[in-house]
Amino acid sequence: MSPDDDGYGNDSGRSNDGYSTLGGTRQTRTRLPDTQGGDGYGPRRPARNSRSLFTVLGVVILLLAAIAFANMGGGGGDNGGDGARGSDAKKAGSAPTAATGTKPVTGKNGSIPSGYAHDEQGAQSAASNFAVALGSVEMFKKDARHAIVDSVYTSEAAGKLRAPQDAAYSPNFLDKLGLDANGNAPQGSTFVSRTVPVGTKLESFDATTAKVSVWYMGLIGMSGPGSTDPVRTSWKTWTVELTWANKDWKAVSDSQKDGPAPVPGDVAASSSDEISKAVEEYGGFTYAR
């Protein structure tokens, strides 16, 4: 993505609202640290008593029964219609929205997950994590940006992107965001730039290429005393063309558009201190289809 579409570094086809934050109908799964093993990721969960366990099991059983009943399509007179609709959906190439349960990656290339499966879910997992990397604070720092672009894109695509992106992330542009020429925030302030994928949609797929759309919410702005650019949210859909190269998925080209955007909630905006603290305390995820 590039600063021209939200400041995240893009090569073409994105919106021109000054910032980017990076889709579709499928559910995205996040892999959370194991908090039960006492392995440094967090405290162990307290054991539930038997009464609580039975209560939880009862709720789960009722929920599963309700889902099963809903999937039956109601009365017998309507079953034929539901079956027809299901058949039409399959013909249209629809797919289940539930997460696959497949391990998303096998390794990392620097700070970016790598080693995705050579299949549809692997392509969607790659696209989600690429969106996160391209929407990060590191994109505003030259050396870190080059490393991200080299990891996400093919060598040919990265070579074409590097110079235009360096020109786009100019000292003047960074200054408008409250950053210095090296992409650093003023002392006592926190610059926020995060991409939070909501879901992915597989547009096309074959043995060597894939096209994936990532629907995401973005956070961007400066949190600190006297900031004139407070942290805000935006909703975008980022579409990326991928190719299978060197036993992994790599981006070749991408584009971006606004939305879909939900109606804003009624939660009052937090203070600058609360936002800064949250950014420091809450880490990101590795995303998986």
Side-chain angles (χ1 to χ4, degrees):
M1 292 175 284
S2 73
D4 290 335
D5 26 68
D6 297 353
Y8 283 173
N10 178 16
D11 59 333
S12 63
R14 309 241 180 115
S15 63
N16 295 315
D17 56 359
Y19 298 104
S20 168
T21 38
L22 303 171
T25 59
R26 300 189 181 178
Q27 177 185 2
T28 299
R29 171 171 57 91
T30 60
R31 301 186 66 83
L32 303 174
D34 182 3
T35 58
Q36 301 185 57
D39 53 2
Y41 284 107
R44 294 176 182 268
R45 294 190 182 95
R48 293 191 178 97
N49 59 37
S50 59
R51 181 177 180 182
S52 298
L53 179 59
F54 288 139
T55 300
V56 172
L57 288 176
V59 172
V60 172
I61 292 173
L62 288 175
L63 179 59
L64 292 177
I67 294 174
F69 180 80
N71 288 336
M72 290 174 64
D78 295 330
N79 286 344
D82 290 340
R85 285 194 293 271
S87 177
D88 290 341
K90 290 181 179 179
K91 291 178 181 178
S94 65
T97 58
T100 62
T102 304
K103 186 175 181 179
V105 290
T106 57
K108 281 193 173 183
N109 184 355
S111 61
I112 303 175
S114 64
Y116 298 94
H118 189 189
D119 55 21
E120 294 181 2
Q121 73 87 16
Q124 292 176 81
S125 297
S128 296
N129 288 293
F130 291 169
V132 172
L134 293 170
S136 66
V137 171
E138 285 71 25
M139 284 295 293
F140 296 83
K141 300 178 180 180
K142 185 176 181 179
D143 291 343
R145 180 171 64 252
H146 288 180
I148 291 173
V149 171
D150 288 343
S151 296
V152 168
Y153 294 89
T154 63
S155 57
E156 181 179 0
K160 294 179 180 179
L161 279 173
R162 199 172 294 114
Q165 281 192 340
D166 288 346
Y169 285 92
S170 65
N172 182 55
F173 171 74
L174 296 175
D175 182 64
K176 291 180 180 178
L177 297 177
L179 303 171
D180 64 20
N182 295 316
N184 298 310
Q187 186 173 1
S189 296
T190 302
F191 180 61
V192 180
S193 182
R194 285 196 185 187
T195 295
V196 185
V198 176
T200 60
K201 177 183 178 182
L202 188 70
E203 305 286 357
S204 63
F205 180 87
D206 61 33
T208 59
T209 64
K211 183 177 182 181
V212 180
S213 291
V214 181
W215 179 34
Y216 72 91
M217 182 192 73
L219 301 173
I220 191 163
M222 186 71 72
S223 179
S227 172
T228 59
D229 187 29
V231 179
R232 58 197 178 279
T233 60
S234 65
W235 290 86
K236 308 279 185 179
T237 298
W238 181 63
T239 301
V240 59
E241 300 272 359
L242 302 169
T243 187
W244 184 255
N246 298 322
K247 297 182 179 181
D248 210 352
W249 290 109
K250 295 289 184 179
V252 177
S253 62
D254 50 11
S255 61
Q256 182 166 269
K257 65 179 182 180
D258 292 337
V263 175
D266 57 359
V267 179
S270 298
S271 67
S272 177
D273 288 342
E274 288 178 295
I275 294 295
S276 297
K277 185 177 180 181
V279 170
E280 293 171 357
E281 294 181 346
Y282 292 85
F285 301 103
T286 295
Y287 286 83
R289 177 66 181 93

